[in-house]
Amino acid sequence: MSRPRKVVPANSGSSRRRAVAPSARRRLTLVVGLLGLASAGLVARAFDIQVIRKDFYQEQGDARFLREVPIPVSRGTIFDRNGEPLAVSTPMVSITAVPSQVLESDDQLPALAAALGTSTDQLRTYLEQRSNREFAYLKRQMSPEAAQAVLDLGIPGINGQREFRRYYPSGEVTAHVLGFTNIDDHGQEGLELAFDDWLSGQPGRKRVIRDNKGHIVEDVEQIRAPKPGHNLTLSIDRRIQFLAYSELKNAVEKSEADSASMVILDVKTGEVLAMVNMPTYNPNAIGSSTASSRRNRAMTDVLEPGSTIKPVLMAAALSSGQYTPTSPLIDTTGGHWYFQGHDIHDTHNWGVLTPTGVITKSSNVGAAHIAMSLDTKLMYDTYRAFGFGNSTNSGFPGEASGYLKIGRDWRPLEKAIMGYGYGLNVTVLQLANAYATIADGGVMHSPSFIKGSDSPPKAIISPQIAHELIQMLETVIQPGGTGAPYAYVANYAVAGKTGTAHKASAGGYSKNSYTSAFVGIVPATHPRLVAAVVVDNPKKGSYYGGLVSGPVFARVMDGALRLLDIPPDNIGRWYVGQPLQDKNGLIGSKAPEAPDIEEAPVDRVTP
């Protein structure tokens, strides 16, 4: 029996093909549609990024790789009056880091720490504390060689930044005049501070592209051109400055004094040729100094001038018309004047003195009598005219004005003791400038630290009175004067004045603490230089100004006159071992073997 055959429709294959074909087309259409949509989306996205929000994405990219960095500039060089450099800027490199990147190279931290001169733990702690920052200094102002050794480690995130560091070739010799700069090369004290804007210049700015390791790969553009600092030429003579430094240092060590100052001025211009203080400091190692050692005492500290004020008193006396260098005679017999319950006294009983004799012997009794005979307003105005109680306008930061009580408020005792230098406060610079005024024929110049500065002169006293005062001051250095022989300068006539003053203390004046001073003019016949020397509280040996400060003046001036090629004015007295004689007695250039006297300090009085 045969099986029945399955009947297949004749058109079944074509029907299946017809059923499949529409499905494939739909899929193809779907794929093409999706690709078209994706392409349209990409085009739209690209249009949005590159056209609509281009600035936004550009800013985002720049924020990650484009940076503005400073272009460092060199600070101006400071020169002395002869062109010798006193302060220069040397190129250095500071090591910077992107902390998070450096921390990723943990295995290289020991090598980095060793190159930076620190410990690995300290470096890691430092970086971790700043891990959220994009910039941190690791070490400032390394030498280029040492910095290159750090950069050669190739640690991601470590970069070098060029900077400048101030260097002072003369070190502590010129420290108080120049001052110093901070780590960012800005002046902090002294002339570095006073002329900071002039010396600093203006750093430039540029845009750069950094890679993901923080390295600069391209300079994009310069935003601002750098402007280097201007140079500055001072009035200071480095040679004379060194002489003053050496002699003042020796005097402080010899006398075991607390401090000392010396100022040297050019008589004709008021320019400061030297200014030295002890103690001093090294501006190249400022971290080892103290605030006390950095103080420019010649400008910022005040003192009672003692007998160095007497030439100013005598200027008032000669201006009054009541006195001449030789009259009237002043009776100092007994060496004591008990005035309003106070003992004004001298070291000796000088008897009857001329006004010149009051200067020669530095008589406190004589000075007090002269002061009490003068009109108070005249005396006050004269002191004021010589600059006491006012700043000298030198432009030095922190300069003190001193103190001078208003004349109408002077009590009789105050007026008397002001005649020999108590009851007022002055700086060493003010004292030197007062004598420079006498030396320049009664004309005052504002002291200046800049070579060639033009300060308008101001007439204070007549040339005739100034000439008479110099002649009176010459007797101080001659035999019998309080400055002989220690302030004597061979072959030059010297005019000057010693001063020894008790230092003020609680309730009056100390019996055992002194200020020892000498101010001198040389050559006396044609004045060129004035120097003021003040030694504070000498504790070993003598405390008299002529014996402590006089020799410092003499030795420094002897060298300075030679360095400046100033001819001797004492040629007529060049007789080997033999002084000259004139009608007034011995006036030769040969110094006596020992001094006669020094002035006595004031007794303990409270104005």
Side-chain angles (χ1 to χ4, degrees):
M1 181 176 174
S2 62
R3 297 176 65 181
R5 296 175 62 186
K6 184 177 181 180
V7 179
V8 178
N11 59 350
S12 63
S14 59
S15 297
R16 184 177 297 160
R17 285 193 297 269
R18 284 195 298 271
V20 171
S23 176
R25 283 195 297 271
R26 285 195 297 270
R27 286 196 298 269
L28 180 61
T29 301
L30 179 61
V31 169
V32 171
L34 291 175
L35 290 174
L37 288 174
S39 297
L42 290 173
V43 170
R45 181 61 174 167
F47 183 80
D48 177 61
I49 293 173
Q50 298 183 31
V51 178
I52 297 177
R53 293 200 287 175
K54 175 184 177 181
D55 293 340
F56 171 76
Y57 287 107
Q58 186 69 51
E59 290 176 1
Q60 292 299 306
D62 290 346
R64 288 162 174 78
F65 299 104
L66 191 64
R67 293 286 187 272
E68 282 190 16
V69 296
I71 304 174
V73 294
S74 175
R75 191 174 177 86
T77 301
I78 300 179
F79 297 96
D80 86 333
R81 66 184 305 108
N82 301 311
E84 295 291 333
L86 299 177
V88 297
S89 290
T90 57
M92 308 293 284
V93 177
S94 289
I95 299 299
T96 67
V98 181
S100 60
Q101 292 184 6
V102 178
L103 287 170
E104 292 175 359
S105 305
D106 188 75
D107 59 326
Q108 292 182 282
L109 288 185
L112 177 60
L116 293 173
T118 186
S119 70
T120 304
D121 290 341
Q122 287 178 324
L123 177 60
R124 182 179 289 107
T125 301
Y126 178 85
L127 292 170
E128 289 174 347
Q129 291 172 346
R130 293 160 178 80
S131 59
N132 60 340
R133 302 183 187 179
E134 293 187 1
F135 177 90
Y137 282 111
L138 293 187
K139 192 166 185 179
R140 300 290 298 271
Q141 298 184 346
M142 298 180 70
S143 69
E145 297 78 12
Q148 190 59 49
V150 176
L151 298 175
D152 287 344
L153 295 174
I155 301 174
I158 297 296
N159 297 287
Q161 178 175 299
R162 189 184 185 197
E163 293 183 323
F164 291 92
R165 181 181 179 182
R166 207 61 161 164
Y167 174 67
Y168 303 93
S170 298
E172 60 186 20
V173 175
T174 54
H176 291 113
V177 173
L178 300 179
F180 57 91
T181 60
N182 62 11
I183 198 166
D184 294 317
D185 216 20
H186 289 294
Q188 299 299 291
E189 290 189 12
L191 298 181
E192 290 276 29
L193 174 59
F195 293 94
D196 188 54
D197 291 341
W198 177 262
L199 292 164
S200 292
Q202 185 177 15
R205 302 286 297 180
K206 65 179 180 179
R207 285 193 178 94
V208 300
I209 294 177
R210 294 182 184 269
D211 62 16
N212 61 348
K213 294 183 179 180
H215 300 146
I216 294 176
V217 296
E218 182 183 349
D219 288 346
V220 177
E221 64 176 330
Q222 185 180 89
I223 301 172
R224 182 178 67 238
K227 296 180 181 179
H230 302 285
N231 295 336
L232 188 66
T233 300
L234 303 185
S235 59
I236 297 293
D237 189 314
R238 189 177 69 168
R239 305 167 300 173
I240 300 175
Q241 180 84 6
F242 182 77
L243 277 175
Y245 165 82
S246 298
E247 294 299 337
L248 199 65
K249 182 179 181 180
N250 290 337
V252 169
E253 291 175 350
K254 181 179 179 181
S255 64
E256 298 182 357
D258 291 344
S259 61
S261 299
M262 184 173 190
V263 174
I264 302 173
L265 299 180
D266 184 307
V267 166
K268 299 300 181 183
T269 65
E271 293 179 352
V272 180
L273 298 180
M275 180 177 286
V276 179
N277 299 277
M278 292 291 162
T280 184
Y281 67 100
N282 184 357
N284 298 308
I286 195 67
S288 61
S289 65
T290 64
S292 176
S293 66
R294 295 194 298 268
R295 198 165 70 242
N296 187 346
R297 300 170 188 273
M299 305 286 293
T300 64
D301 289 14
V302 295
L303 63 139
E304 289 180 298
S307 291
T308 57
I309 203 69
K310 288 172 181 173
V312 179
L313 169 72
M314 205 59 68
L318 297 177
S319 298
S320 71
Q322 298 174 235
Y323 293 88
T324 71
T326 57
S327 66
L329 298 179
I330 302 164
D331 189 2
T332 68
T333 301
H336 292 266
W337 183 28
Y338 294 95
F339 181 70
Q340 293 195 343
H342 294 277
D343 178 14
I344 300 173
H345 66 276
D346 295 331
T347 54
H348 292 73
N349 177 9
W350 300 118
V352 178
L353 295 173
T354 64
T356 298
V358 171
I359 295 293
T360 308
K361 302 299 185 183
S362 197
S363 170
N364 291 338
V365 174
H369 278 298
I370 292 174
M372 294 308 297
S373 71
L374 296 177
D375 176 71
T376 299
K377 185 177 186 304
L378 171 64
M379 183 174 164
Y380 169 77
D381 288 346
T382 303
Y383 278 38
R384 196 79 175 181
F386 271 90
F388 302 125
N390 291 316
S391 168
T392 66
N393 295 318
S394 69
F396 196 91
E399 178 182 1
S401 298
Y403 172 74
L404 178 64
K405 190 175 182 179
I406 300 297
R408 63 174 176 268
D409 297 330
W410 289 0
R411 292 177 292 157
L413 178 60
E414 290 176 317
K415 183 179 179 181
I417 67 173
M418 281 188 189
Y420 52 93
Y422 287 84
L424 71 159
N425 291 320
V426 305
T427 66
V428 179
L429 180 62
Q430 287 176 326
L431 204 53
N433 200 43
Y435 277 68
T437 300
I438 296 172
D440 198 26
V443 174
M444 175 177 284
H445 303 270
S446 293
S448 171
F449 290 90
I450 307 302
K451 181 181 180 181
S453 63
D454 185 17
S455 62
K458 180 181 179 181
I460 302 301
I461 55 176
S462 72
Q464 176 62 31
I465 290 176
H467 178 68
E468 291 174 349
L469 287 173
I470 290 177
Q471 289 183 318
M472 296 168 76
L473 291 171
E474 279 192 83
T475 65
V476 175
I477 318 301
Q478 294 171 357
T482 58
Y486 294 105
Y488 163 83
V489 181
N491 303 320
Y492 291 89
V494 177
K497 186 70 191 75
T498 56
T500 307
H502 278 282
K503 295 186 64 175
S505 63
Y509 289 88
S510 170
K511 291 183 176 181
N512 301 310
S513 297
Y514 304 90
T515 299
S516 306
F518 183 86
V519 190
I521 302 166
V522 65
T525 56
H526 301 286
R528 289 286 304 278
L529 302 177
V530 162
V533 183
V534 175
V535 178
D536 179 39
N537 194 24
K539 294 181 283 292
K540 184 177 180 180
S542 177
Y543 55 81
Y544 288 121
L547 277 70
V548 176
S549 299
V552 178
F553 168 88
R555 287 191 286 266
V556 175
M557 290 297 98
D558 183 61
L561 291 165
R562 296 175 189 273
L563 288 170
L564 298 177
D565 200 24
I566 297 175
D569 63 342
N570 215 3
I571 297 176
R573 304 173 187 178
W574 284 9
Y575 290 84
V576 179
Q578 296 295 327
L580 282 178
Q581 298 272 352
D582 76 350
K583 62 182 180 180
N584 295 319
L586 199 63
I587 62 169
S589 63
K590 182 180 179 181
E593 295 299 324
D596 185 2
I597 52 88
E598 240 283 17
E599 72 274 19
V602 69
D603 197 3
R604 296 189 69 185
V605 297
T606 304

